[in-house]
Amino acid sequence: MAQEAVYSHRDPMLKKRDDFEDILEERRNSSDLRYALRCYTPVVYKELTLCKSGELRDLVLQSDHLRYVITQVSKETGADADEVQGEASAILEEMAHCLQLSTVRFFAFTLTKIFKTLFRSICVNEEGIQRLQQAIHEHPVVLLPSHRSYMDFLLMSYILYTYDLALPVIAAGMDFMGMKFVGEMLRMSGAFFIRRSFGGDKLYWAVFSEYVRTMLKTGFAPVEFFLEGTRSRTAKSLTPKLGLLNIVMDPFLKGEVFDVTLVPVSISYERILEESLYARELLGVPKPKESTSGLFKARKVLSEDYGSIHVYFGQPVSVRSLAEGRVNRCQFNLTPRHIPQRPGEEINHFVNDSAFRLVRAQEENMVLKPWVLLASLLLQNHHHGQKGGTALEELTEQAVWLRDLSRQCGAFLHWPEHAPPSEVVSSSLSLHQGLVSISEGRVQLALEQGGQGGPEEKLLNQAVVVLSCASYRNQALHVFLRPALLALAIVTSSSNNRQEVYNSFSFLRNMFSNEFILCPGATVQDFEEACYLLVKTGALQIPQQEVLITERGHRTLAFLTSILDPFLQGYQVVCRFLCEEATEALTDKQFVPAVRKFIIKHLLTGTLRYAEALSSDLQKNSLAALLRLGAVRRVKGGAEQGTLKVNKVMVNSLEDTLGGKLPTQKAAAARL
């Protein structure tokens, strides 16, 4: 009972989540034109009268901060101050949005037509909308949606327009600006365009940060950006980028506004439009350049069914309450506000910690569809070599078992309760018929569509299906991650002593912290949470200092370790490559193509089981982990600049610790 009390505050099952309503239902029964042209009078921050886009630009260009930077750049470069001012003005011209209601109405009309064709429903939590409305009135608001599809920012604006809320201004990548007509349309519906990287361009950074801060301080509109920086091609959350979060917290830290409200938003797609495009990108097929003609060629997607979307507006988070007891704001009084300062270590820690907490909040409110569970099971059945697939009845039984397990672990699962499980499973399979084949009552991944071509081409075609399925399985990873790390720690640990298991858990968690969202410094909490969940599900007993698997726990632990297997083997094969094949002159740029070639060779000879190891995302994450752990280092400066230096003894030792016993291990060890 005492243990229950300790953990109850962390039991995700105790969280009450809001109900959803389908905003497309009304659109299907009333005039789209009337909807687009209706009276639109959103609530604004503190009833301020909105300034126009032009006035906003003037405020930015005349700010003390930008003037100071212009003077500094002028001194450093020897350029005339007016010239630098002109440069700043040109940067702002390229960047700034010019929100126009007529364009917004055009999008409202067009998107309604598209959404009604593509999706069965777009479900939004109304209580979240009411919380957001209140927040917009009281403080500057920053919207932080998850990012899995190009649809995300169109969807966000569409929802806010539908509920008569202030439309957000949205940070977008420059690649959209190159799209004729569409780029300008996006600008007129609230997008502002930023370069992917600024390097050391002081002036660009100053214009950009001042522009965002001015929008916040004047309450011009809610600011929207993606914490992950880019779309996740794997449906896993990406490590948050901190630049924009730093900027939006700045007005509060400097005492220019009383508070800033951050709103995490979780967007869950039953079927992602870019499904196979992402898989091909991960296999090295270059991303097609954004173009208007490409957009029209993509019209064939309009004939397909993409199921439903769930959009959950999370609890607003006050920066003021996040900073309480964490940040001493007095430090900002030591220099005038307009003089740029690099954030100190305390601020960096605070922003980083807040970013991870916000991404976790996004994850926890992601709505999982039955297909996510089915994809997990089909992948595991495939990897375990079930020839001829799984009988439909058996798959349904497995899905019901996994449904119950995932709920016990706190998943936000959207499983139609009124329908029999066999119906739920059949309906999910038919929506994803491009990825599964059903023959004589048996279900398996649709790998026979490998088609013509040599063995390598067939392998890559099969890998597209595997990686597409994996992207759905990945949607559930945050639910099972901590228990799965514990399950793996129990399997790889030399004894069932609690401390030994914890050490093993800690090593695995550290190894995979580039792969998954694991909050820095929270190893003990994560371990306790994993223990609590596995005791609660009846898989473990933890008397005193021992961790014991129960009779019924074997099935749970087998499922959980299998979920991490592809990542484990992926990291091992990267270690193997670095020990066996990496030359002295290997550079960052050559790493992915070289390791891909190595993995293809091992998959074709059957010494590697998981085609998921072909994902460039997994390969880059494993390299990042090895660099962080000091097993590989980048050479800076000199003739060898940019090359990777591999500490083979350390890499080999890490591979061993990961439990790596791939077939050519002995040869690698002998060579060392």
Side-chain angles (χ1 to χ4, degrees), residues 223-326:
V223 172
E224 179 187 317
F225 65 91
F226 300 109
L227 257 177
E228 299 164 280
T230 184
R231 284 174 301 155
S232 166
R233 269 69 172 169
T234 58
K236 288 193 290 104
S237 295
L238 306 176
T239 304
K241 304 279 191 296
L242 305 181
L244 261 161
L245 193 59
N246 254 310
I247 290 171
V248 298
M249 286 181 162
D250 197 59
F252 163 74
L253 294 172
K254 288 185 175 166
E256 295 170 297
V257 293
F258 180 76
D259 200 356
V260 172
T261 302
L262 309 171
V263 181
V265 185
S266 311
I267 307 176
S268 316
Y269 294 89
E270 191 166 7
R271 190 177 158 210
I272 290 182
L273 274 86
E274 300 98 325
E275 185 181 279
S276 64
L277 184 74
Y278 285 168
R280 289 191 163 86
E281 261 186 70
L282 293 169
L283 292 166
V285 179
K287 179 176 106 157
K289 193 169 177 289
E290 274 80 18
S291 69
T292 309
S293 61
L295 199 69
F296 290 117
K297 279 179 198 152
R299 278 183 308 177
K300 71 170 187 356
V301 302
L302 291 174
S303 60
E304 302 219 12
D305 179 359
Y306 287 88
S308 56
I309 302 176
H310 283 76
V311 183
Y312 194 97
F313 287 81
Q315 286 290 346
V317 177
S318 149
V319 174
R320 190 177 191 86
S321 62
L322 279 179
E324 206 171 325
R326 295 269 328 254

Side-chain angles (χ1 to χ4, degrees), residues 57 61 83-96 174 177 187 195 203-204 207:
R57 291 182 208 191
L61 291 170
E83 204 180 304
V84 181
Q85 171 87 24
E87 227 177 289
S89 191
I91 290 169
L92 192 55
E93 196 66 34
E94 172 191 77
M95 182 186 295
M174 292 293 265
M177 219 174 78
R187 193 192 289 278
R195 296 176 194 164
L203 186 64
Y204 192 91
V207 173

Side-chain angles (χ1 to χ4, degrees), residues 361-425:
Q362 283 177 351
E363 285 185 335
E364 283 175 6
N365 290 324
M366 283 289 190
V367 174
L368 307 183
K369 305 288 169 30
W371 169 247
V372 169
L373 306 183
L374 290 169
S376 310
L377 293 164
L378 286 166
L379 277 168
Q380 289 196 12
N381 294 345
H382 165 68
H383 290 319
H384 295 153
Q386 283 196 7
K387 294 280 177 257
T390 313
L392 193 52
E393 298 76 38
E394 190 188 338
L395 184 65
T396 304
E397 183 278 323
Q398 289 176 350
V400 169
W401 173 81
L402 188 52
R403 174 196 70 186
D404 298 342
L405 178 69
S406 62
R407 282 192 172 145
Q408 283 183 297
C409 290
F412 192 174
L413 187 64
H414 192 258
W415 182 290
E417 293 304 334
H418 51 82
S422 57
E423 217 173 274
V424 175
V425 169

Side-chain angles (χ1 to χ4, degrees), residues 118 120 270-271 275 304-308 369 371 425-436 472:
L118 289 177
R120 296 175 188 178
E270 191 166 7
R271 190 177 158 210
E275 185 181 279
E304 302 219 12
D305 179 359
Y306 287 88
S308 56
K369 305 288 169 30
W371 169 247
V425 169
S426 299
S427 159
S428 286
L429 292 173
S430 70
L431 185 67
H432 296 273
Q433 54 196 328
L435 298 176
V436 287
Y472 290 103

Side-chain angles (χ1 to χ4, degrees), residues 10-21 124-128 131 266 268 310-315 360-368 406-414 475 478-479 529 533 536:
R10 239 195 338 267
D11 185 347
M13 290 295 281
L14 298 180
K15 280 201 185 99
K16 185 198 170 296
R17 293 191 176 101
D18 307 342
D19 296 326
F20 287 95
E21 73 147 2
V124 180
N125 63 325
E126 274 213 290
E127 286 175 54
R131 291 191 293 262
S266 311
S268 316
H310 283 76
V311 183
Y312 194 97
F313 287 81
Q315 286 290 346
R360 279 294 308 271
Q362 283 177 351
E363 285 185 335
E364 283 175 6
N365 290 324
M366 283 289 190
V367 174
L368 307 183
S406 62
R407 282 192 172 145
Q408 283 183 297
C409 290
F412 192 174
L413 187 64
H414 192 258
Q475 290 181 26
H478 67 276
V479 174
E529 185 182 316
L533 288 172
K536 179 182 149 190

